[in-house]
Amino acid sequence: MRLLILSDVHSNLAALEAVLQDAGRWDVAISAGDVVGYGPNPEECVAKLMFKGFRCAKGNHDMAVYDGDSSWFNDDAQDAIKINRGQLSPGSMRWLGSQPTELRFMLAGLDIAVYHGSPTEPLTSYIYPQDAKERADSLLKHTGADVIILGHTHIPYTVKRKDKLIINPGSVGQPRDGDPRASYLVLETDQLTAELRRAEYSIDATAEAIDAVGLPHNFATRLYRGT
Ligand code: ZN
């Protein structure tokens, strides 16, 4: 089975479309949270994931856009959450609110666990690449999963331990590893191989839309830097 795995779309439709195009055929698609926030097209991004039948875990921005409590975000992120709230239809709001903070399922004999942040603090904790390497055994033991899928850091990585994996596909809509291309991952369950991939997209289109809907301008400029 071929799994399309992505995270942190952050309302960036141009980037999401580029990833869907670049990924080709897949059997199951998974999102590790933060479909909304930061970017200009939350409604279109939610609609796209719903239509494509993505299995989704909830991120901190999804939660804040859904319940309106953005007090724990910085000022710019709060502005984006307020603007995104005004852009979403009632149906998309309900869909956002219905995402679990732990998404767990069996697929091709693999026990797969998906969290935005970490298994113990799914909405708040960050697990960066070095941390994932050092804590791999305890994270796998703690969850009992064969594959742990994380997001939140916007930094892609894969860590393999025997026949188990901890992976983070990076961010589709706001990469922060210095590469501005949309980041995602393809997992082949047969050989248990995880391939980190990048898709080029029109940053200009997203940057112009960010300005047009009145989002903080630095959300546009950072996309060109990939930070
Ligand atoms: Zn994020």
Side-chain angles (χ1 to χ4, degrees):
M1 258 187 181
R2 183 177 162 91
L3 313 192
L4 165 59
I5 299 171
L6 54 76
S7 188
D8 296 274
V9 172
H10 284 301
S11 315
N12 188 338
L13 182 64
L16 176 59
E17 285 179 333
V19 163
L20 292 172
Q21 178 88 35
D22 189 70
R25 183 200 63 79
W26 43 264
D27 300 299
V28 173
I30 297 158
S31 162
D34 279 2
V35 183
V36 298
Y38 293 137
N41 298 112
E43 178 67 16
E44 294 87 342
C45 290
V46 167
K48 189 72 85 180
L49 295 201
M50 279 170 80
F51 179 71
K52 297 280 184 187
F54 270 71
R55 302 182 186 194
C56 303
K58 184 184 282 170
N60 52 323
H61 289 255
D62 303 322
M63 174 87 145
V65 166
Y66 174 71
D67 70 14
D69 178 8
S70 58
S71 54
W72 48 313
F73 289 85
N74 67 41
D75 289 352
D76 282 350
Q78 286 196 23
D79 285 351
I81 283 159
K82 281 186 200 123
I83 289 170
N84 276 188
R85 263 174 81 75
Q87 294 173 297
L88 284 165
S89 65
S92 294
M93 275 292 198
R94 274 196 302 278
W95 183 84
L96 270 188
S98 72
Q99 310 301 327
T101 51
E102 180 194 44
L103 174 67
R104 191 84 182 240
F105 53 90
M106 293 293 297
L107 205 63
L110 295 171
D111 183 348
I112 298 177
V114 188
Y115 312 89
H116 185 60
S118 79
T120 46
E121 295 169 299
L123 291 179
T124 50
S125 186
Y126 292 85
I127 298 182
Y128 284 97
Q130 189 58 31
D131 208 13
K133 261 185 229 153
E134 286 167 11
R135 293 169 58 195
D137 292 329
S138 74
L139 287 166
L140 289 162
K141 193 173 171 206
H142 170 78
T143 57
D146 299 310
V147 179
I148 300 176
I149 301 171
L150 304 169
H152 202 35
T153 60
H154 298 210
I155 309 282
Y157 57 81
T158 66
V159 176
K160 195 160 190 187
R161 287 284 183 276
K162 292 188 192 115
D163 52 352
K164 297 186 191 296
L165 277 175
I166 300 178
I167 53 182
N168 188 320
S171 172
V172 170
Q174 194 192 81
R176 294 181 190 160
D177 61 345
D179 182 343
R181 295 174 301 167
S183 182
Y184 72 103
L185 190 149
V186 171
L187 172 63
E188 296 279 359
T189 58
D190 295 355
Q191 306 86 19
L192 202 64
T193 52
E195 183 196 0
L196 289 166
R197 298 176 60 139
R198 305 302 282 237
E200 204 109 36
Y201 74 99
S202 170
I203 298 176
D204 286 348
T206 299
E208 282 163 24
I210 281 173
D211 289 340
V213 300
L215 285 158
H217 184 65
N218 70 308
F219 291 152
T221 52
R222 70 187 297 176
L223 292 179
Y224 292 94
R225 300 190 304 264
T227 56

